[in-house]
Amino acid sequence: MEKLRDNGLMDKEILLDIFNYLNERLKENQLQLEITIYGGSIMTMVYDNRPATKDIDCVFNESNHKLLDHILELTKFTFNLPDGWINEDIKGPLQYILKEDKETFKVFSNLKILKPKTEQLLAMKILAARPEPAKDFVDAAILCKDLGISTKEKLLAVVSNYISLRLLGERQIRFIQYLGEDLGYDWK
């Protein structure tokens, strides 16, 4: 079983170990759990563009919260994880999502991991548009390349499927312009 790296981050191998461990504890307690992961954990596990992430941005389905909290505490102790290793703050930005397009990422015996489709993840990165050290810019560039987006119009069409374009303020517009420039396009 992998422990956290010296830098306190979880890489793909550690994340998979954590999910395997969670599945075993769920199985022991005859509990089924569905979790949707977002952000850095997806970029680390699916797109291999990040060496690691500091937390798991996620949303859990309804379950036995007392038992789940106990299992999460066991996991935290076993892997020497910091407080906040499970981050449900993603629920805030999700209130702005017009529709959720989820797909299955991985299925264990008692744990099912879902993730948003690439287009939704890109829209969420554009909406967040956080400055460094957040990785939104790098993530958005990778997602644009993955989706073959080369025009501002195509990007905005994807984004508008998931968030209202009225939510795009100055920060998001500058983010999009710099993103286009970084990808070699003029998105002014």
Side-chain angles (χ1 to χ4, degrees):
M1 191 173 314
E2 289 286 329
K3 300 287 185 195
L4 277 182
R5 300 290 178 231
D6 290 339
N7 59 6
L9 298 176
M10 297 174 272
D11 64 16
K12 185 176 186 174
E13 190 176 343
I14 291 170
L15 287 167
L16 287 173
D17 279 349
I18 287 170
F19 289 131
N20 274 311
Y21 180 86
L22 275 173
N23 182 64
E24 289 304 311
R25 300 300 74 78
L26 291 165
K27 190 175 184 180
E28 289 171 1
N29 290 281
Q30 300 177 0
L31 188 64
Q32 293 287 324
L33 181 66
E34 186 176 278
I35 181 174
T36 305
I37 60 172
Y38 300 87
S41 46
I42 289 179
M43 298 308 290
T44 299
M45 294 179 70
V46 177
Y47 296 97
D48 289 327
N49 83 307
R50 282 192 195 180
T53 185
K54 66 179 173 57
D55 60 9
I56 300 172
D57 296 311
C58 64
V59 175
F60 296 102
N61 69 326
E62 292 302 315
S63 64
N64 181 334
H65 285 290
K66 189 171 186 170
L67 185 54
L68 178 58
D69 287 345
H70 176 70
I71 291 170
L72 294 175
E73 278 300 315
L74 287 174
T75 307
K76 177 183 172 188
F77 178 82
T78 302
F79 287 87
N80 196 30
L81 298 167
D83 290 339
W85 72 277
I86 285 287
N87 184 355
E88 292 186 88
D89 291 347
I90 193 70
K91 289 178 181 178
L94 284 175
Q95 69 183 333
Y96 300 108
I97 298 297
L98 299 172
K99 67 175 181 174
E100 277 242 67
D101 272 340
K102 299 179 191 178
E103 56 192 12
T104 300
F105 171 65
K106 194 159 184 59
V107 178
F108 299 86
S109 61
N110 292 63
L111 175 65
K112 182 176 184 178
I113 302 173
L114 304 174
K115 70 173 203 61
K117 289 190 174 182
T118 306
E119 294 85 354
Q120 179 184 335
L121 188 57
L122 176 59
M124 293 173 74
K125 292 292 181 178
I126 297 296
L127 180 61
R130 295 169 295 189
E132 294 296 328
K135 303 290 185 208
D136 293 334
F137 190 81
V138 172
D139 293 347
I142 287 165
L143 297 170
C144 281
K145 288 177 187 174
D146 187 57
L147 293 168
I149 293 175
S150 59
T151 67
K152 178 177 76 174
E153 292 72 26
K154 189 171 179 183
L155 174 69
L156 292 176
V158 167
V159 170
S160 68
N161 283 326
Y162 297 96
I163 60 170
S164 169
L165 294 181
R166 291 180 299 200
L167 293 175
L168 300 183
E170 187 175 331
R171 186 179 80 234
Q172 289 84 5
I173 290 168
R174 287 198 194 291
F175 184 91
I176 290 168
Q177 290 171 336
Y178 289 133
L179 179 61
E181 186 179 303
D182 199 57
L183 292 170
Y185 307 117
D186 183 10
W187 288 358
K188 295 203 185 313

